[in-house]
């Protein structure tokens, strides 16, 4: 009958529509899984925004620079260093906000904070002495080394006049290396309130990378460090006997 004919004609269309819907759902699931994977592999410099109320500590965060951990590479001068170039976001970090910034991995787990450096951590004004090719006369390079994990953060300050940072580099007691953050925030940012920060790279010591991140290193190098760790533990055990 005509009804049977029209129904049979519709069947391929219904099947195609169902297939399209299934394909769309599969694509969504794949995108979600990829996003979750990227989040767990992400290294970020970010700032947490809250109003000081303990109940609101998980407030908004502003990301200033990010990259996937596995997109890094071994440093040309030291094959034990894993260096990650950060992708700059559209958000602008003012120098006065530097203390509120953190290095985070895995979607927000802080591994280092700029609010208070430990006694073993330090930093220095590097000026134009850097291996970053995009440094120009308008920027001053700063390095912060977080110890004992030997993580090094490099960032540029723009809006701090070249003559001023050169004078700081030449003056032996201009700042204490352990107090470089207070110096930059309380001195430089107060004097130059329009100064901004660009986070450029994070360098990890492969021997001291957290276990979850170490699994993302290229296999040959990862295996070397795993073997080294085993040997060190074995020697430590033998030393106790």
């Amino acid at each position: 009958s005509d009804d049977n004919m029209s129904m049979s004609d519709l069947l391929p269309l219904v099947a195609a529509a169902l297939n399209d819907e299934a394909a769309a759902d599969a694509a969504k699931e794949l995108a979600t899984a990829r996003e979750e994977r990227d989040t767990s592999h992400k290294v970020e410099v970010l700032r947490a925004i809250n109003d000081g109320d303990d109940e609101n500590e998980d407030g908004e965060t502003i990301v200033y620079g990010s990259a996937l951990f596995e997109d890094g590479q071994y440093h040309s001068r030291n094959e034990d260093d894993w260096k990650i170039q950060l992708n700059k976001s559209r958000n602008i970090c003012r120098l006065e906000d530097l203390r509120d910034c953190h290095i985070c991995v895995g979607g927000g787990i802080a591994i280092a904070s700029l609010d208070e450096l430990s006694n073993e951590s330090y930093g220095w004004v590097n000026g134009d002495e850097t291996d970053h090719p995009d440094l120009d006369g308008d920027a001053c390079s700063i390095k912060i080394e977080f110890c004992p994990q030997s993580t090094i953060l490099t960032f540029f300050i723009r809006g701090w006049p070249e003559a001023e940072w050169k004078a700081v580099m030449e003056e032996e007691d201009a700042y204490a290396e352990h107090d470089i953050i207070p110096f930059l925030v309380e001195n430089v940012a107060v004097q130059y309130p329009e100064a901004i920060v660009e986070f450029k790279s994070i360098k990890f010591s492969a021997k001291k990378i957290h276990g979850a991140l170490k699994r993302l290193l290229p296999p040959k190098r990862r295996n070397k460090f795993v073997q080294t760790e085993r040997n060190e533990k074995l020697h430590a055990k033998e030393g106790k006997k």
Side-chain angles (χ1 to χ4, degrees):
S1 70
D2 289 343
D3 287 343
N4 287 337
M5 284 293 292
S6 59
M7 185 61 74
S8 60
D9 288 342
L10 282 172
L11 282 174
L13 297 174
V14 171
L18 289 171
N19 283 337
D20 286 347
E21 189 176 343
D25 288 344
K28 278 183 187 176
E29 286 179 16
L30 189 62
T32 301
R34 189 176 288 125
E35 191 175 331
E36 288 174 355
R37 184 212 63 185
D38 286 354
T39 298
S40 66
H41 293 195
K42 199 172 282 185
V43 179
E44 299 171 301
V45 178
L46 54 81
R47 179 163 70 101
I49 307 296
N50 63 60
D51 59 8
D53 185 348
D54 289 342
E55 294 179 5
N56 193 29
E57 283 190 350
D58 295 329
E60 181 188 355
T61 58
I62 298 178
V63 176
Y64 295 121
S66 67
L68 294 180
F69 183 85
E70 58 264 44
D71 287 346
Q73 57 186 342
Y74 286 102
H75 197 270
S76 57
R77 293 193 295 273
N78 187 346
E79 62 175 13
D80 288 347
D81 287 340
W82 183 254
K83 188 174 183 179
I84 301 165
Q85 302 287 353
L86 296 170
N87 300 311
K88 182 181 172 184
S89 80
R90 293 179 181 178
N91 300 314
I92 294 173
C93 179
R94 293 193 176 280
L95 182 57
E96 64 185 14
D97 293 328
L98 188 62
R99 266 190 175 135
D100 299 325
C101 295
H102 312 274
I103 299 174
C104 294
V105 297
I109 303 166
I111 59 169
S113 294
L114 288 163
D115 56 347
E116 189 177 331
L117 298 184
S118 71
N119 291 333
E120 296 174 316
S121 302
Y122 56 94
W124 58 96
V125 178
N126 238 28
D128 54 7
E129 299 169 14
T130 179
D131 52 6
H132 286 277
D134 56 340
L135 182 73
D136 51 49
D138 181 44
C140 174
S141 174
I142 308 286
K143 284 187 184 292
I144 307 287
E145 180 162 357
F146 300 92
C147 297
Q149 64 268 44
S150 300
T151 299
I152 297 178
L153 171 68
T154 299
F155 59 86
F156 293 173
I157 297 177
R158 295 191 184 275
W160 186 13
E162 184 177 358
E164 295 291 329
W165 57 254
K166 280 190 171 178
V168 166
M169 289 182 72
E170 290 169 7
E171 189 181 334
E172 195 171 318
D173 300 321
Y175 63 94
E177 290 184 344
H178 294 299
D179 295 323
I180 188 167
I181 301 299
F183 169 73
L184 293 174
V185 173
E186 296 167 16
N187 292 61
V188 180
V190 169
Q191 207 172 352
Y192 302 100
E194 299 303 312
I196 61 171
V197 174
E198 287 179 15
F199 296 101
K200 306 304 292 185
S201 68
I202 299 172
K203 188 166 66 178
F204 293 92
S205 170
K207 292 177 181 176
K208 298 179 181 179
I209 290 173
H210 186 275
L213 289 176
K214 195 171 290 186
R215 288 196 293 271
L216 302 177
L217 288 169
K220 284 184 182 178
R221 303 290 299 154
R222 180 175 68 235
N223 293 341
K224 176 190 171 184
F225 290 119
V226 168
Q227 189 60 49
T228 302
E229 282 182 349
R230 284 176 183 162
N231 291 340
E232 287 173 355
K233 287 177 182 175
L234 192 63
H235 289 315
K237 280 183 182 177
E238 289 174 352
K240 289 178 181 178
K241 288 179 181 177

